[in-house]
C-alpha cells in the first residue's frame, strides 16, 4: 500500500510542476510576436507533457506491475464498467460506424450552431486565441502539441491517476471523480 501512496504523491507533485510552468508559458506566449519563439514554446510544452504525464505514468505502471493497463481496462474499474452498456455483441465495423457517426453528428450540430448568431452558446473562458497558430509555420507545432496533449493527458488523467486513487481508496467512483476534478482544475 506504500507504493501507490508514494506514486500518488509523485504524480500530484508532477502535475503541480506542470501547472506552474504552464501558467508561466501561457503568459509568455501571449507576448511572443515572432513565429520562431512561439514554435519553441510549443516544443517546450510537448516535452513538458511527456515529462509530467507520460513518464510518471509509464514508470508508475511499471513499478506497480500494471503496464498491461494501457491495453486492458484494470479490474479496479469494474464497478464503473458495469454501468456502461455492453458492446460485446457488436463487430468492429459496427463499433467504428457508431464512433464515426457520433463524430460526424457532433460536427454537423457544431457547424449548424456556429452559423446561427443567436445560438452562440459555447463561450470560451479566457483568451485562448493566443495559443492558436498564427501562420502556416506554427500549424505543425500546434497540431503536434494538441496530439501530444491528448495522448499524455488521457494516459495521466483517465488511467494512471484514477488507478492510483482507486488503489489508495478502494473506490472507483471516488477515483474518477477526483481525476475529473483535477483535470478540470488544470484546464
Amino acid at each position: 500500500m506504500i507504493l501507490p501512496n508514494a506514486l500518488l504523491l509523485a504524480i500530484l507533485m508532477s502535475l503541480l510542476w506542470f501547472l506552474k510552468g504552464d501558467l508561466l508559458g501561457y503568459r509568455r506566449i501571449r507576448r511572443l510576436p515572432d513565429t520562431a519563439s512561439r514554435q519553441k514554446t510549443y516544443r517546450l510544452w510537448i516535452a513538458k507533457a511527456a515529462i509530467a504525464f507520460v513518464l510518471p505514468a509509464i514508470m508508475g505502471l511499471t513499478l506497480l506491475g500494471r503496464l498491461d493497463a494501457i491495453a486492458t481496462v484494470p479490474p479496479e474499474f469494474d464497478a464503473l464498467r458495469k454501468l456502461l452498456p455492453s458492446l460485446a455483441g457488436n463487430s468492429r465495423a459496427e463499433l467504428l460506424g457508431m464512433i464515426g457517426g457520433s463524430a460526424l453528428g457532433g460536427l454537423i450540430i457544431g457547424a449548424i450552431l456556429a452559423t446561427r448568431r443567436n445560438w452562440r452558446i459555447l463561450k470560451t473562458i479566457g483568451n485562448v486565441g493566443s495559443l492558436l497558430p498564427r501562420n502556416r509555420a506554427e500549424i505543425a507545432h500546434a497540431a503536434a502539441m494538441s496530439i501530444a496533449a491528448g495522448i499524455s493527458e488521457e494516459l495521466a488523467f483517465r488511467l494512471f491517476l484514477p488507478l492510483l486513487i482507486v488503489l489508495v481508496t478502494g473506490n472507483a467512483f471516488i477515483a474518477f471523480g477526483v481525476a475529473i476534478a483535477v483535470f478540470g482544475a488544470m484546464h
Side-chain angles (χ1 to χ4, degrees), residues 136-169:
R136 286 186 178 266
E138 293 178 9
I139 288 175
H141 286 80
M145 183 184 70
S146 297
I147 293 167
I151 293 169
S152 62
E153 290 175 4
E154 288 300 312
L155 182 61
F157 293 103
R158 303 293 181 265
L159 174 61
F160 189 54
L161 185 58
L163 181 60
L164 287 176
I165 295 170
V166 77
L167 290 174
V168 170
T169 66

Side-chain angles (χ1 to χ4, degrees), residues 112-183:
I112 291 169
L113 291 177
T115 61
R116 308 219 183 265
R117 287 191 187 270
N118 57 350
W119 276 81
R120 302 243 181 223
I121 56 174
L122 301 175
K123 304 249 183 217
T124 59
I125 300 172
N127 178 13
V128 296
S130 60
L131 299 175
L132 300 176
R134 295 180 180 167
N135 54 48
R136 286 186 178 266
E138 293 178 9
I139 288 175
H141 286 80
M145 183 184 70
S146 297
I147 293 167
I151 293 169
S152 62
E153 290 175 4
E154 288 300 312
L155 182 61
F157 293 103
R158 303 293 181 265
L159 174 61
F160 189 54
L161 185 58
L163 181 60
L164 287 176
I165 295 170
V166 77
L167 290 174
V168 170
T169 66
N171 189 315
F173 294 96
I174 291 172
F176 276 93
V178 170
I180 290 167
V182 171
F183 179 79

Side-chain angles (χ1 to χ4, degrees), residues 15-30:
L15 294 175
L16 286 174
W17 169 78
F18 181 86
L19 184 58
K20 179 182 176 191
D22 197 36
L23 292 173
L24 293 173
Y26 177 72
R27 289 186 195 116
R28 183 176 44 242
I29 200 167
R30 289 174 49 195

Side-chain angles (χ1 to χ4, degrees), residues 61-96:
L61 289 169
T62 302
L63 287 171
L64 291 169
R66 303 297 300 277
L67 205 52
D68 64 319
I70 291 174
T72 61
V73 178
E76 292 85 357
F77 299 165
D78 281 349
L80 287 173
R81 189 167 40 176
K82 289 177 184 171
L83 298 175
L84 298 174
S86 174
L87 301 174
N90 297 334
S91 70
R92 282 192 189 270
E94 289 172 326
L95 292 174
L96 288 175

